[in-house]
Amino acid sequence: MLSEEPRRRRWWVHPIVSQRLQKGQFHTLYFDLRHNPEKFQGYCRMSVATFDILLASLRSGLTFQDTTMRRSISPEERLLLTLRFLATGNSFASLHYEYLLGISTISGIVCHTCQLIWQRLREAVMPTPTADDWLRIADGFYQSSQFPNCIGALDGKHIRVKKPPHSGSQYFNFKQYFSIVLLALVDSNYRFIIVDIGAYGSTADARIFCSSRMGERLRANQLALPEPRRLSGSSASAAPFVIVADEGFALSPHVMRAFPRRDLDDRKRIFNYRLSRARRYVECAFGILSNKWRVFMSSLQMSPQNATLVIQACVILHNFTRIHDVPSEPEVAPFPTTTSVGLDHNPQGRPGSAGLAVRELFADYFISPEGALSWQLNSIRGTRR
């Protein structure tokens, strides 16, 4: 068989791409956008001031040396291109015609910038919580949802991806599409506290949590949780600090889930109502994340490894913009109705007596004069069928 000659390149640089400095979207639009803050916010999903803070944090990692052959792409253009991809989900081919950069060049810039965002900003915007941090988070939940001793709401979100080659059904989830999982613990300000990213879509959130560092540290009592304390105004025994979760999560001393839906009396319905008021924050955080970074509105056309980099960057940017920008999203959202499976210390077993006792303690508190809300009975009776 005759060997084929290597294909010769028609151009060193395509004539259209060679006009990048004159006609590329960065060079024609960037400076005009900076003088129109509303348009800049819509284009990048952050204010000009926040963009400048982000750029200052990443500049050294986005600066490359010019060569005799060509000028390097500036840090501003690299960051703007990445933010535009995350904000719209446009394909690399589409961005190729907008920014007049090669498709492989765009892919490399996006992946490198996402990785840099995670590495440079994770400790600043999503640090490992200390005991004081957990207390601050618990106070936030009590102020916003009147659920005491709550240190976070946890759930999983499936991020749609293109089927990886030779992966079988590993990434095929119960919703009938291919995905990787973002498992997140969220505070009452809709910020991510701890995340686990990249698990197979076919894996239940319970098993993801059990194998995650967060789950291992919680089981080993290494999360620096504060000592149990009495619920506000109560004279009962001290209650541990807990995570709130939905029906797919197993009950344990540090994880509260709703009572089963059969044979519910008013006391159990009130507990479920109060828990759902705290748990909705994780659902709302996922909604804010997807609405701001619309790359999640469609399937990520990249490998799971690169998709993980994109998700990591969006999680960090979500926290970063909520710290530096005044949130523009509505802070009150409807109670979530989606079903997902999640945290489970013993996915196949019954809840232990310790977890049941803690749930009973909270249920009693929510109907006591110290812990009751004036509207809770009307709320549960208005939704009863």
Side-chain angles (χ1 to χ4, degrees):
M1 182 177 180
L2 297 176
S3 60
E4 296 182 1
E5 293 184 4
R7 181 181 175 185
R8 292 186 177 183
R9 297 177 61 170
R10 297 179 62 187
W11 298 284
W12 172 249
V13 178
H14 194 282
I16 294 179
V17 175
S18 66
Q19 302 179 69
R20 177 174 68 90
L21 299 180
Q22 293 77 38
K23 298 183 179 180
Q25 193 167 107
F26 172 80
H27 297 278
T28 60
L29 199 58
Y30 174 66
F31 294 103
D32 289 336
L33 286 173
R34 289 187 66 91
H35 290 92
N36 293 272
E38 286 188 20
K39 297 296 184 182
F40 192 96
Q41 178 87 34
Y43 191 89
C44 294
R45 299 296 192 268
M46 63 180 63
S47 67
V48 176
T50 301
F51 177 88
D52 290 340
I53 296 171
L54 179 62
L55 180 62
S57 301
L58 305 177
R59 180 177 291 278
S60 61
L62 296 177
T63 302
F64 293 84
Q65 187 174 4
D66 293 338
T67 69
T68 56
M69 302 297 294
R70 64 183 64 175
R71 291 171 54 186
S72 64
I73 301 170
S74 69
E76 290 84 355
E77 185 168 5
R78 289 173 177 271
L79 182 56
L80 195 77
L81 169 64
T82 301
L83 293 177
R84 190 58 181 167
F85 168 73
L86 299 178
T88 64
N90 287 351
S91 67
F92 294 155
S94 176
L95 293 171
H96 159 69
Y97 292 105
E98 296 173 8
Y99 282 80
L100 302 185
L101 289 166
I103 294 175
S104 61
T105 302
I106 291 173
S107 174
I109 289 173
V110 168
C111 292
H112 172 260
T113 307
C114 287
Q115 185 176 35
L116 195 65
I117 289 171
W118 175 261
Q119 293 173 346
R120 294 283 180 91
L121 299 177
R122 181 169 60 89
E123 288 299 326
V125 304
M126 198 171 61
T128 302
T130 63
D132 289 339
D133 293 329
W134 291 125
L135 288 172
R136 175 184 52 79
I137 292 168
D139 290 343
F141 270 104
Y142 186 69
Q143 293 295 324
S144 61
S145 63
Q146 294 75 52
F147 198 105
N149 287 20
C150 177
I151 57 170
L154 188 141
D155 204 355
K157 177 178 176 61
H158 287 269
I159 307 297
R160 192 186 296 263
V161 297
K162 179 179 69 173
K163 181 185 182 299
H166 314 297
S167 63
S169 60
Q170 285 181 321
Y171 293 89
F172 196 69
N173 64 34
F174 69 97
K175 298 181 180 182
Q176 307 300 306
Y177 60 81
F178 296 93
S179 67
I180 59 179
V181 178
L182 163 61
L183 192 71
L185 186 69
V186 172
D187 69 12
S188 61
N189 292 317
Y190 308 103
R191 296 179 192 167
F192 296 104
I193 307 168
I194 304 175
V195 296
D196 183 274
I197 303 170
Y200 297 138
S202 62
T203 308
D205 292 357
R207 297 190 181 278
I208 297 171
F209 180 82
C210 285
S211 61
S212 70
R213 187 182 176 194
M214 174 172 56
E216 292 173 354
R217 294 184 66 189
L218 181 61
R219 291 194 299 274
N221 197 25
Q222 295 177 350
L223 279 182
L225 297 184
E227 292 296 320
R229 69 179 181 185
R230 289 182 177 178
L231 304 180
S232 179
S234 173
S235 59
S237 58
F241 287 82
V242 298
I243 293 169
V244 293
D246 65 12
E247 292 86 350
F249 289 65
L251 187 67
S252 79
H254 290 293
V255 181
M256 291 292 99
R257 56 162 285 171
F259 284 101
R261 297 184 182 182
R262 57 185 180 277
D263 301 325
L264 291 177
D265 55 21
D266 281 350
R267 174 176 168 275
K268 293 180 179 179
R269 288 178 182 274
I270 287 171
F271 174 86
N272 290 357
Y273 166 71
R274 297 287 290 271
L275 182 136
S276 68
R277 296 185 78 245
R279 194 184 66 79
R280 63 177 174 171
Y281 285 93
V282 66
E283 300 282 0
C284 294
F286 286 149
I288 294 170
L289 178 75
S290 298
N291 189 56
K292 179 181 284 287
W293 307 110
R294 300 198 174 189
V295 67
F296 298 129
M297 293 294 188
S298 58
S299 175
L300 297 179
Q301 300 298 306
M302 55 184 64
S303 68
Q305 293 75 24
N306 289 342
T308 297
L309 295 178
V310 167
I311 299 167
Q312 288 175 338
C314 288
V315 165
I316 295 301
L317 292 172
H318 171 92
N319 281 10
F320 188 83
T321 55
R322 293 197 70 80
I323 292 171
H324 293 283
D325 283 340
V326 177
S328 58
E329 301 87 3
E331 300 288 10
V332 178
F335 277 61
T337 58
T338 57
T339 300
S340 59
V341 294
L343 175 63
D344 189 349
H345 292 274
N346 184 10
Q348 304 302 327
R350 292 179 175 274
S353 58
L356 291 170
V358 172
R359 184 166 66 179
E360 294 296 327
L361 179 62
F362 277 94
D364 289 338
Y365 174 74
F366 290 149
I367 62 171
S368 69
E370 297 80 15
L373 299 178
S374 59
W375 66 85
Q376 61 188 22
L377 272 176
N378 291 335
S379 295
I380 64 165
R381 289 171 178 171
T383 58
R384 180 184 295 177
R385 294 180 181 179

